[in-house]
Amino acid sequence: MKKAIRVFLILLVIFVAGVIMFSLQINRRQEPENTEEATGPTLPVVFMEIDGTDVNEMFGVRGNLQETSERDSVTPLPSSKKLSFRIDPKESEITGVSYEISSIADESLVENGEITDQKTGEDGSVTASFTANSNLRSGQEYMLCIDLKLKSGDDVRYYTRLVQGSGIDFSGYLKFVSDFGTMCLDKSNQDTLAGYLETDDSGTSGDFTDVDITSDTDTVTWGDLSPSMVTEAVPVICECNTTTVSMEADYIISSKDSEGETEYYKVKDFYRMKYADGTTNISLLNFKRTAALIFDSSLPVLTDSGLLLGVQDSSISYASSETGNIAVFAENGDLWSYNTETGALSCLFSFREKANGSYTFDDRTENEQHDFAIENVSENGDVTFVLYGYMPSGAHEGRMGAAVFTYSANTDISEERMFIPLNQSYDVLERNISRLSYVSSKDELYLFLGTELCKINLADGSYDVVQDTIDRSGFASSDSQQVVAWLDSDNTGGSKTATMLDLESGKSLQIPAPDGEAIVSCGFVDNDYVYGLVKDEDVITGSDGTITCGMYRLVIEDINGTVKKDYQKENQYVTAVSEEHDALALRLSALSDGTYRDAGTDRIVKNGQEDTGVGISTTTDSRTGQEKVLTLGNGSAEKITQKSAEILYTKAGAETILEWPETDQNLYSVYGFGTLQGIYSSVNRAIAAADGVSGLVLDSAQRYVWVRGDWPSSYTIDTATIPEGFLELAYDSDALGNLLGSGYTVLNLSGCTREELYYQLSKGYPVLARVSDSSVYYVIGYDEYNIWIYDKTSGKAKAVATDDADALFKKNSYQFLSYIAA
């Protein structure tokens, strides 16, 4: 009997185990043959070294990057020309190290070589060095590429810019950045920190996402957050010249919430510094800090108002299903979904890894150079999204590009549909893919790449260029990105035709301007195109070269050609249109004596689509200051269920390779606070924007056109170095261009301030300044009290007091011409 019972129990256990195994097998999604599971990062990390200090952490790139677009860091070349760096091999074995130096201006190779001077430390890291043999020109930038050959057979490249840095004491700057960040963690240092800040009332906000040099010391020292350092910052040198140095420090801090739970914050500090004249004391010219909570579903994030996202900036990307029951949001490099009915809070994608419920912060996966475009959110919780930028781990580790994923709520799997390599920097990708990334119901991905509208078939990888040579300023997409529009010529002065295209249906509409008129692109309201009509004679070029289009009529039209709104006001012109949450804001002007003068504002209220109630609101907490909340129109479930999607990649194979289109248009890029701030078609507007962020301007060939503060206190150009004939010219840009020839580019600096001219002058480029209809100043220098002009009568330099010069320049609308070597 006992034996029978024992046999029965054994059979019962086997049966139950079999049922469980069968159930698991049935419910477990079978991994397709063409996919592979996500893996962690494996590539080495490389650091440049200055006086034994790690700087400019670099992450490996597989494949060739468009080097002129890469501006993550700059490394100073010392007078000895010897460069040292350190390699942390991580999970890889290195079999060879080499380097290349190339010119950023024309991408030509300057020199290359193998690096044999290597030493392996006790921690496994490799220190190496080499001496540059070429004569690198002062003031010119080069690209240094360190190439690692791995045992796996891969070549991995690491990039940093290279400039002459002799005579600059970087050790002092590095110590300042390290000390300042450490002092901010201790309230007892407030008095010391106050000596570096320029606190005013406008800088007291309690907002940790926007701290700057005008903030109060309590905010700079983290208020009541009481943080601890989790990861040490490796300084990144953003820009350097003989006058100023800019650095960035990224790190992670932790803090305890009211329940004693640990929160983690990503922090980015930016410093712009200089040595006080004749001293070793460092002056802090600019300081900017951003901080953001790393969202953690295990924390108490469910509130009466919605999901508490914590300390975040205002640019949170989010979307919802039509009914609002599913909300998807991107935050700090992760993508999340929340189901208001079931309470499921799912991490759809993250490069971060957890061990025993806690984050294991890896500097490679904390690299912030990726983002998401949320394409579609279904009522059942399925999500289509595009991940773009640098891939720090997984099947495409070390690649730059865009990957299309589909998340299945049923299987809790995010599966890659296609990966598209793109050899541009993250800054370039972000500015383009954020303009347009649309996946249609026909499985077609539309991307805007520089000047081209591309369509990629997700089924077979084929692609077409729908439209090329699109002027960026004349391209627009609707909020849903389903409908796009572009002008058939430059938007600056308007176009004779505009084209609308519905990316879902394929339907297009061409809009012609009446004879003697042009179309100006003004954006979208929902899926309806907003454009203005301007008469040819009402396109006016100001003295600073700025073109203003006085639109006598504003039209809102749908893809079927139905005019939804026709806005006109007698004797008034619309000269600017901006988008607000619920309306279009119009700047009105009156035309008088060939000049547009302010005539007030107006608004066109949007009809708006049905509101799902999903949005971003701001709340205030005594400990953390301003926090963001994802509001949920349908309310929320009583309890959260934490989920994390399995990530499956498409196995390596045939890839869709898109060639980034080239353009002949000379554009001016503005960099400030360590990032790309904007791209402009006119140099004077770019300089004004750069001055506002204490930044710099580069032309399309990556030449420095203007750098804030990079000029000595006084400078006078030797007239013998000025091109012959310049000091005889009238104020005429065409004549200046003909005189200089193809070796130079004429710069219209009209609208710039007197001080903004100092950069050009200090680089040896004189300035033509119009002081009346028939006369000019040949500005050749400046000092603390004067500008210096060339006096043709005496053939000598002549001083003009700065106050007198400013009054004269203002009277003549700040009209200036100069040039730069091509």
Side-chain angles (χ1 to χ4, degrees):
M1 183 68 179
K2 290 182 178 179
K3 182 178 180 180
I5 293 174
R6 186 166 59 251
V7 171
F8 172 77
L9 291 175
I10 292 172
L11 291 174
L12 179 62
V13 170
I14 293 172
F15 174 75
V16 171
V19 169
I20 293 173
M21 292 294 293
F22 179 76
S23 176
L24 289 173
Q25 189 67 23
I26 289 296
N27 288 287
R28 185 181 186 276
R29 180 187 180 279
Q30 295 296 308
E31 183 181 327
E33 292 183 358
N34 65 334
T35 63
E36 59 185 71
E37 293 182 354
T39 56
T42 63
L43 295 182
V45 177
V46 177
F47 308 83
M48 301 305 296
E49 287 192 337
I50 296 179
D51 296 331
T53 300
D54 286 345
V55 300
N56 295 348
E57 184 176 23
M58 296 174 282
F59 302 100
V61 176
R62 282 189 169 108
N64 291 321
L65 191 64
Q66 183 68 37
E67 295 182 354
T68 57
S69 71
E70 179 58 50
R71 294 194 62 82
D72 286 346
S73 67
V74 60
T75 298
L77 181 69
S79 56
S80 66
K81 296 187 179 180
K82 184 177 181 179
L83 289 165
S84 299
F85 58 95
R86 183 175 71 86
I87 305 168
D88 183 349
K90 301 291 187 180
E91 294 76 11
S92 298
E93 185 175 338
I94 300 166
T95 59
V97 184
S98 60
Y99 76 95
E100 291 182 358
I101 298 176
S102 56
S103 169
I104 289 182
D106 59 12
E107 301 183 32
S108 61
L109 178 65
V110 175
E111 71 172 70
N112 58 7
E114 297 292 325
I115 299 176
T116 57
D117 184 6
Q118 302 177 31
K119 295 180 181 178
T120 302
E122 293 182 359
D123 60 354
S125 65
V126 178
T127 56
S129 64
F130 70 94
T131 300
N133 298 314
S134 303
N135 291 320
L136 304 184
R137 294 173 55 189
S138 177
Q140 181 172 326
E141 280 195 352
Y142 299 84
M143 183 62 68
L144 169 62
C145 173
I146 296 173
D147 193 321
L148 303 186
K149 289 180 173 55
L150 307 184
K151 187 176 181 180
S152 62
D154 287 333
D155 273 352
V156 187
R157 302 165 73 85
Y158 298 79
Y159 295 93
T160 181
R161 290 174 290 133
L162 200 61
V163 296
Q164 292 279 1
S166 57
I168 304 175
D169 180 11
F170 282 94
S171 59
Y173 287 124
L174 291 170
K175 186 177 186 305
F176 179 89
V177 168
S178 176
D179 291 348
F180 192 95
T182 301
M183 284 193 294
C184 289
L185 299 175
D186 187 344
K187 288 288 184 184
S188 65
N189 294 316
Q190 289 192 55
D191 289 344
T192 302
L193 292 169
Y196 296 107
L197 302 176
E198 301 171 7
T199 300
D200 61 32
D201 292 339
S202 65
T204 307
S205 65
D207 182 2
F208 294 127
T209 68
D210 188 19
V211 179
D212 61 26
I213 199 169
T214 68
S215 298
D216 61 276
T217 56
D218 183 60
T219 304
V220 171
T221 55
W222 297 103
D224 294 329
L225 211 58
S226 301
S228 299
M229 189 78 75
V230 176
T231 63
E232 296 291 334
V234 177
V236 175
I237 304 173
C238 303
E239 305 293 341
C240 65
N241 54 62
T242 56
T243 307
T244 64
V245 168
S246 297
M247 291 188 187
E248 186 179 279
D250 297 0
Y251 53 98
I252 295 174
I253 59 172
S254 65
S255 176
K256 298 290 186 180
D257 67 10
S258 57
E259 304 296 324
E261 299 289 339
T262 301
E263 303 171 330
Y264 294 100
Y265 295 82
K266 292 204 68 173
V267 185
K268 185 189 297 291
D269 288 349
F270 174 84
Y271 303 82
R272 181 168 170 265
M273 306 159 287
K274 66 175 291 187
Y275 282 104
D277 291 342
T279 73
T280 58
N281 299 323
I282 291 178
S283 298
L284 184 61
L285 303 177
N286 293 94
F287 173 72
K288 187 174 181 64
R289 173 188 292 155
T290 58
L293 177 73
I294 297 175
F295 185 79
D296 189 341
S297 59
S298 65
L299 296 177
V301 296
L302 194 60
T303 70
D304 293 338
S305 304
L307 283 180
L308 181 63
L309 305 183
V311 175
Q312 306 288 341
D313 65 23
S314 58
S315 59
I316 299 172
S317 175
Y318 67 94
S320 69
S321 59
E322 289 186 3
T323 61
N325 67 308
I326 307 293
V328 179
F329 60 96
E331 182 273 336
N332 235 326
D334 301 334
L335 188 66
W336 296 83
S337 172
Y338 179 66
N339 188 318
T340 62
E341 297 176 351
T342 67
L345 179 56
S346 304
C347 182
L348 307 189
F349 192 98
S350 177
F351 287 117
R352 291 190 177 97
E353 296 181 340
K354 276 189 171 183
N356 300 321
S358 298
Y359 285 113
T360 56
F361 295 114
D362 189 303
D363 46 359
R364 292 166 295 182
T365 54
E366 290 305 319
N367 182 357
E368 292 185 323
Q369 294 193 331
H370 71 271
D371 207 346
F372 301 92
I374 306 168
E375 302 294 338
N376 182 60
V377 182
S378 301
E379 295 299 328
N380 68 350
D382 292 351
V383 180
T384 300
F385 62 93
V386 173
L387 164 69
Y388 62 90
Y390 176 78
M391 308 295 163
S393 65
H396 313 295
E397 183 181 6
R399 306 292 296 275
M400 298 290 296
V404 181
F405 281 85
T406 299
Y407 167 76
S408 169
N410 183 43
T411 62
D412 202 28
I413 291 175
S414 290
E415 183 176 336
E416 184 186 61
R417 301 283 310 282
M418 176 178 289
F419 178 73
I420 304 164
L422 295 165
N423 65 341
Q424 297 289 325
S425 70
Y426 172 68
D427 276 341
V428 174
L429 292 184
E430 197 280 330
R431 286 187 63 81
N432 287 275
I433 294 180
S434 63
R435 292 283 295 273
L436 179 68
S437 168
Y438 183 81
V439 177
S440 73
S441 60
K442 299 176 183 177
D443 262 1
E444 295 169 333
L445 169 65
Y446 290 86
L447 295 175
F448 181 68
L449 304 180
T451 60
E452 291 181 351
L453 173 60
C454 297
K455 178 178 69 176
I456 301 103
N457 189 314
L458 296 179
D460 60 16
S462 61
Y463 78 95
D464 295 312
V465 177
V466 178
Q467 181 67 32
D468 60 4
T469 63
I470 300 174
D471 180 75
R472 181 182 177 86
S473 63
F475 180 85
S477 61
S478 62
D479 289 342
S480 68
Q481 298 196 342
Q482 178 180 330
V483 184
V484 298
W486 63 85
L487 299 181
D488 297 315
S489 63
D490 189 344
N491 189 40
T492 306
S495 171
K496 294 302 178 184
T497 56
T499 300
M500 289 179 67
L501 176 63
D502 188 320
L503 304 180
E504 194 62 54
S505 67
K507 184 174 184 178
S508 64
L509 174 70
Q510 189 170 71
I511 305 171
D515 290 342
E517 300 182 12
I519 295 174
V520 178
S521 181
C522 300
F524 273 85
V525 170
D526 299 326
N527 282 331
D528 302 328
Y529 186 40
V530 184
Y531 63 91
L533 291 172
V534 57
K535 296 178 181 178
D536 291 348
E537 61 268 24
D538 293 336
V539 179
I540 295 176
T541 302
S543 58
D544 63 353
T546 301
I547 297 175
T548 303
C549 296
M551 297 171 276
Y552 74 92
R553 180 184 174 196
L554 207 65
V555 180
I556 302 177
E557 187 170 345
D558 69 14
I559 191 66
N560 298 312
T562 303
V563 174
K564 300 289 190 69
K565 179 80 174 180
D566 193 331
Y567 177 93
Q568 297 183 63
K569 280 201 169 184
E570 188 175 359
N571 297 327
Q572 289 192 337
Y573 301 84
V574 178
T575 50
V577 179
S578 58
E579 189 172 353
E580 297 177 347
H581 173 67
D582 59 348
L584 292 178
L586 313 180
R587 183 191 302 164
L588 303 180
S589 299
L591 186 58
S592 175
D593 297 327
T595 302
Y596 286 109
R597 305 190 184 282
D598 181 59
T601 60
D602 202 352
R603 300 171 83 245
I604 296 178
V605 178
K606 302 178 184 178
N607 293 325
Q609 298 176 340
E610 185 176 349
D611 188 2
T612 64
V614 176
I616 301 294
S617 65
T618 301
T619 185
T620 302
D621 180 83
S622 60
R623 182 179 68 90
T624 56
Q626 293 186 20
E627 298 182 317
K628 299 299 180 185
V629 176
L630 182 71
T631 57
L632 305 166
N634 294 343
S636 59
E638 294 182 0
K639 186 179 179 181
I640 279 179
T641 303
Q642 299 179 52
K643 301 174 71 177
S644 184
E646 180 184 1
I647 300 171
L648 294 180
Y649 289 99
T650 301
K651 284 185 178 178
E655 295 178 331
T656 297
I657 307 296
L658 298 184
E659 294 294 334
W660 201 270
E662 296 183 0
T663 176
D664 294 332
Q665 186 179 8
N666 191 17
L667 300 175
Y668 298 93
S669 301
V670 173
Y671 286 84
F673 302 120
T675 60
L676 179 65
Q677 299 287 327
I679 299 176
Y680 299 82
S681 58
S682 59
V683 65
N684 45 3
R685 289 181 57 211
I687 290 174
D691 203 1
V693 295
S694 298
L696 58 91
V697 179
L698 302 172
D699 65 9
S700 294
Q702 299 296 294
R703 291 182 299 243
Y704 285 92
V705 176
W706 190 86
V707 181
R708 173 64 190 169
D710 184 20
W711 52 76
S713 57
S714 63
Y715 190 86
T716 302
I717 300 171
D718 181 356
T719 55
T721 65
I722 297 175
E724 187 177 353
F726 180 91
L727 300 176
E728 302 291 333
L729 285 173
Y731 190 88
D732 187 325
S733 61
D734 291 337
L736 177 57
N738 292 333
L739 172 72
L740 297 172
S742 60
Y744 296 90
T745 299
V746 175
L747 301 178
N748 183 348
L749 303 180
S750 295
C752 292
T753 66
R754 167 182 49 81
E755 188 180 51
E756 288 169 347
L757 302 177
Y758 290 176
Y759 178 82
Q760 293 299 125
L761 293 167
S762 68
K763 302 306 176 186
Y765 300 114
V767 174
L768 278 174
R770 173 173 274 173
V771 293
S772 72
D773 290 341
S774 58
S775 62
V776 298
Y777 275 172
Y778 304 98
V779 185
I780 59 172
Y782 63 90
D783 59 30
E784 185 177 356
Y785 305 106
N786 309 285
I787 65 165
W788 290 85
I789 66 173
Y790 177 75
D791 184 359
K792 289 197 293 185
T793 303
S794 66
K796 296 180 180 179
K798 174 183 175 182
V800 177
T802 53
D803 288 346
D804 294 338
D806 286 341
L808 198 54
F809 294 156
K810 180 179 180 180
K811 180 180 178 181
N812 290 277
S813 303
Y814 300 99
Q815 297 184 64
F816 307 114
L817 291 173
S818 190
Y819 58 91
I820 189 174

